[in-house]
């Protein structure tokens, strides 16, 4: 048992230098209001329930009793780090190019809602810019901080805020895209509730064959279409 564990750790270590975790929201501490996993590996099966808020095979999702108040219409800062203890100079390996996105889902209780299922809408997306820079390039340049706007027109109340990064370096073969995500527990205050976003299911919204998931990063393509729905706007 001990032997097989150390073998597994050795195998993981050879690729672990490149992974990432959404560790904290706004000025919160690591894992305070954000459900982190201890292992920074990707989800690669888009039909897995772990595509919503992480989980197997990356270990148990750590629960947190914090729900972070966020004003509708304000910006939220999602911090990404290579591991739970990395600094701002260690966000993710630069080879891991791809989009950085965020989704939200209205829930009754942000502390207990597991995440998978319907109700998800996209609020932010940074794909491939006309300057050739990916969302991941900008995230690294910004010290791992992803800034998103919480829509002003949604209903107040509790939500899960899902930060997502897709690394495309292996995405030219099916199942090779690496999905990284965590869910933060937030309480939106002051929303006007004047619009109800159309929503999708996770798992469900992504197919392994989507143009933004089965993608050759090295063929010189100048455009990229991120998977999932269009970004919701007020
Ligand atoms: C959410 O914010 C509202 C308005 O400030 C407050 O009444 C409510 O207690 C908050 N809920 C949580 C779970 O923090
Ligand atoms: Cu990696």
């Amino acid at each position: 048992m001990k032997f097989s564990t150390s073998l597994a750790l050795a195998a993981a270590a050879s690729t672990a230098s490149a992974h990432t975790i959404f560790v904290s929201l706004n000025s919160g501490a690591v894992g305070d209001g954000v459900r982190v996993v201890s292992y920074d590996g990707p989800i690669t099966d888009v039909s897995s329930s772990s595509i919503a808020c992480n989980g197997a095979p990356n270990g148990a999702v750590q629960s947190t009793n914090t729900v972070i108040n966020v004003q509708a219409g304000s910006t939220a800062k999602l911090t990404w780090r290579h591991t739970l203890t990395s600094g701002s100079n260690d966000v993710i390996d630069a080879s891991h190019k791809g989009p950085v996105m965020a989704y939200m889902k209205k829930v009754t209780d942000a502390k207990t809602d597991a995440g998978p299922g319907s109700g998800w809408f996209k609020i932010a997306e940074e794909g491939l810019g006309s300057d050739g820079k990916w969302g991941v390039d900008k995230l690294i340049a910004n010290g791992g901080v992803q800034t998103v706007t919480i829509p002003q027109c949604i209903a107040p109340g509790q939500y899960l805020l899902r930060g997502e990064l897709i690394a495309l370096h292996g995405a030219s073969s099916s199942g090779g895209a690496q999905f990284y995500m965590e869910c933060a527990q937030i309480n939106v205050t002051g929303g006007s509730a004047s619009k109800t976003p159309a929503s999708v299911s996770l798992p469900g919204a992504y197919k392994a064959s989507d143009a933004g998931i089965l993608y050759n990063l090295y063929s010189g393509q100048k455009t990229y279409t991120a998977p999932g729905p269009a970004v919701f706007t007020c």
Side-chain angles (χ1 to χ4, degrees):
M1 200 58 195
K2 212 166 186 179
F3 181 65
S4 63
T5 301
S6 59
L7 266 186
L9 285 174
S14 62
T15 51
S17 60
H19 302 332
T20 195
I21 307 180
F22 159 34
V23 296
S24 63
L25 182 67
N26 294 343
S27 49
V30 170
D32 189 18
V34 182
R35 300 175 189 170
V36 296
V37 281
S38 52
Y39 182 60
D40 58 358
I43 303 299
T44 56
D45 178 0
V46 295
S47 66
S48 161
S49 59
S50 297
I51 200 79
C53 292
N54 215 319
N58 295 326
V61 175
Q62 296 171 25
S63 61
T64 163
N65 280 323
T66 301
V67 178
I68 300 169
N69 285 309
V70 179
Q71 179 81 30
S74 74
T75 55
K77 292 189 185 312
L78 291 68
T79 295
W80 293 81
R81 293 284 184 259
H82 169 196
T83 70
L84 295 179
T85 54
S86 299
S88 60
N89 62 346
D90 190 13
V91 174
I92 185 171
D93 191 89
S95 66
H96 280 40
K97 297 190 189 310
V100 183
M101 305 186 281
Y103 288 72
M104 290 175 68
K105 173 187 176 165
K106 183 114 176 53
V107 295
T108 305
D109 185 342
K111 289 201 286 274
T112 58
D113 191 289
S118 60
W120 290 101
F121 56 98
K122 190 187 278 178
I123 61 161
E125 177 182 301
E126 287 269 8
L128 176 60
S130 53
D131 57 359
K133 295 226 186 303
W134 287 90
V136 166
D137 297 323
K138 294 174 192 163
L139 184 71
I140 293 170
N142 204 29
V145 177
Q146 173 193 9
T147 302
V148 304
T149 299
I150 304 300
Q152 193 281 324
C153 60
I154 58 174
Q158 298 185 50
Y159 289 79
L160 296 178
L161 169 61
R162 173 180 178 273
E164 178 178 33
L165 182 161
I166 308 177
L168 297 170
H169 54 294
S172 60
S173 53
S174 184
Q178 299 187 347
F179 299 80
Y180 298 93
M181 79 296 297
E182 269 74 28
C183 291
Q185 302 168 176
I186 67 171
N187 183 37
V188 173
T189 59
S192 69
S194 53
K195 261 192 163 182
T196 304
S199 65
V200 299
S201 291
L202 287 171
Y206 294 174
K207 292 196 298 296
S209 59
D210 285 349
I213 294 177
L214 187 60
Y215 183 89
N216 188 341
L217 184 63
Y218 309 106
S219 65
Q221 296 182 67
K222 296 280 189 283
T223 60
Y224 173 77
T225 305
V231 172
F232 169 73
T233 55
C234 289

